[in-house]
Amino acid sequence: MVATVHLSPGKDKSLRRLHPWIFSGAIDRVKGKPKSGETVSVHSSEGDWLGYAAWSPQSQIRARIWSFSQRDSINAEFFLTRIRAAQELRSGLALNSNAYRVVAAESDELPGITIDRYDNWLVCQLLSAGAEFWREAIVAALRECFPECSILERSDVDVRRKEGLEPIVQVLHQQADATIDDVIWIQEHGIELGVDLLKGHKTGYYLDQRDSRQAIMKYTKGKRVLNAFSYTGGFGVFAAQAGASEVVNLDVSESALTQATLNHERNQLPAPTNQQIDVFEALRQFHHTGERFDVIVLDPPKFVDSKANLMSACRGYKDINRLACMILKPGGTLFTFSCSGLLSGELFQKVVADAALDAKRPMHIIERLFQGADHPVRTNFPESLYLKGLVLRG
């Protein structure tokens, strides 16, 4: 018998709008003793059936909906069908790259499951109790849908601990001719970029910024470009390809900066100027020394982990944008991003506007940027629109 979760009165509104999360405070009672990751049947306080969900007893998100259709059975065939649907969605997109997001968690109705493809490697993150419970079925579905690919798991992020799970990195399937120890070279809009699948950020690279990296090329010919939080220098490579006079990369990681130089070499571009330094410190130093840039890219890591630290994160975003405005040459261009899903686009724009005001540099928004099409936004899950970018001139 499937255990049943009964919601408190008035706590079913979001589910009736097909939002897939059920928080612990919305639950009135549980009938049965579901194990972590097991499928439960969710009901309103009046007894209406609402969905099938994965049970997560240690998370504040106590259950995540797999399906809002009572006709579905949550089994191996279910995951094969969902992954095929995600594959079909991407097949019609003109991504101009051999690296893309295959499954985007809730956006593909597979909460807690993220899968990226890098050439013939699939890198997956199983981040929820439900994803962990159905691990074998998910891997089997990937092998059937992508028989040419090897599979690496990079479930080494802190969010797994909130689900009562330990971080893990392991090869789940490897083709005879596949290697994992060296850098994988991917292609993006004709540019080659090296990716460390085992130790790189996220699943190895920030595929969601593909379109934004190409967009910078319109603004960098003959310009001095500052690429802050550069990681392996993707924005800088595209800026150099477009004819930037100089690219300065800022990052705290020596290995990332080394790869940035290799990326320039691979594409036969002038070497960047790399500085291994905290970005906040570097921006302050540039302000004090009077160093200025024509184009600045601010692509920081996620500052907002929870609603509790939203305001402190806003102060961080405001500080770096204020400093960037102060070291931007008159008529220069600022690319600024937030990948924090809990920070709305409206609030992010207000933070940037306040930063420009404090810097006494009123700016014009000339372009808005978002995550790539392979990171789709599902209409019933607004949190899936997490990456916001503004291009400003001032």
Side-chain angles (χ1 to χ4, degrees), residues 83-311:
I83 290 173
R84 278 179 174 161
Q87 182 185 20
E88 178 64 23
L89 175 64
R90 275 74 179 177
S91 68
L93 303 177
L95 300 176
N96 198 15
S97 177
N98 64 346
Y100 61 93
R101 179 141 296 180
V102 174
V103 171
E106 284 85 353
S107 288
D108 289 300
E109 299 182 280
L110 289 169
I113 303 172
T114 297
I115 302 167
D116 288 336
R117 180 169 183 168
Y118 298 92
D119 195 16
N120 281 339
W121 275 94
L122 297 177
V123 184
C124 63
Q125 292 182 319
L126 307 179
L127 304 182
S128 66
E132 180 69 25
F133 186 86
W134 289 102
R135 163 187 297 275
E136 291 184 8
I138 294 165
V139 174
L142 290 175
R143 293 188 64 177
E144 182 165 340
C145 292
F146 303 92
E148 72 280 14
C149 289
S150 301
I151 306 172
L152 170 69
E153 181 177 4
R154 282 289 309 272
S155 301
D156 53 346
V157 294
D158 290 340
V159 70
R160 267 179 67 95
R161 297 190 186 279
K162 296 180 180 180
E163 299 282 317
L165 306 171
E166 291 296 317
I168 186 170
V169 176
Q170 60 181 338
V171 174
L172 298 172
H173 170 67
Q174 189 165 357
Q175 301 284 13
D177 60 345
T179 59
I180 190 65
D181 295 330
D182 299 325
V183 167
I184 300 291
W185 289 94
I186 63 170
Q187 296 181 357
E188 182 178 286
H189 299 300
I191 299 290
E192 291 193 60
L193 300 166
V195 178
D196 186 340
L197 299 184
L198 279 173
K199 293 179 284 188
H201 292 182
K202 302 290 186 179
T203 62
Y205 199 56
Y206 295 94
L207 299 178
D208 52 4
Q209 287 282 34
R210 182 190 311 106
D211 295 343
S212 299
R213 283 188 285 269
Q214 185 185 37
I216 199 175
M217 299 179 75
K218 297 180 291 186
Y219 302 93
T220 56
K221 185 176 181 179
K223 304 297 184 181
R224 188 175 190 229
V225 179
L226 177 65
N227 185 16
F229 306 99
S230 67
Y231 187 41
T232 56
F235 277 102
V237 175
F238 277 83
Q241 179 69 22
S245 62
E246 183 186 9
V247 171
V248 178
N249 291 320
L250 305 178
D251 204 274
V252 295
S253 169
E254 180 181 6
S255 61
L257 292 171
T258 298
Q259 184 60 50
T261 298
L262 293 175
N263 286 341
H264 280 250
E265 292 177 356
R266 181 84 171 197
N267 293 282
Q268 300 181 337
L269 297 170
T273 301
N274 294 331
Q275 295 188 29
Q276 185 183 356
I277 189 172
D278 175 80
V279 170
F280 287 86
E281 179 184 346
L283 296 180
R284 292 187 179 94
Q285 287 182 8
F286 291 147
H287 173 55
H288 290 313
T289 60
E291 198 161 355
R292 300 293 181 261
F293 298 88
D294 301 295
V295 179
I296 299 175
V297 180
L298 295 178
D299 187 22
K302 183 169 67 174
F303 285 176
V304 187
D305 291 325
S306 67
K307 290 183 179 180
N309 75 335
L310 178 59
M311 288 302 102

Side-chain angles (χ1 to χ4, degrees), residues 53-99:
W55 182 247
S56 183
Q58 295 194 39
S59 173
Q60 284 298 307
I61 303 176
R62 195 56 49 90
R64 291 173 168 83
I65 295 289
W66 288 128
S67 176
F68 289 100
S69 173
Q70 202 163 5
R71 295 189 300 272
D72 281 337
S73 296
I74 311 305
N75 53 26
E77 184 65 26
F78 171 85
F79 289 95
L80 178 60
T81 299
R82 285 283 164 89
I83 290 173
R84 278 179 174 161
Q87 182 185 20
E88 178 64 23
L89 175 64
R90 275 74 179 177
S91 68
L93 303 177
L95 300 176
N96 198 15
S97 177
N98 64 346

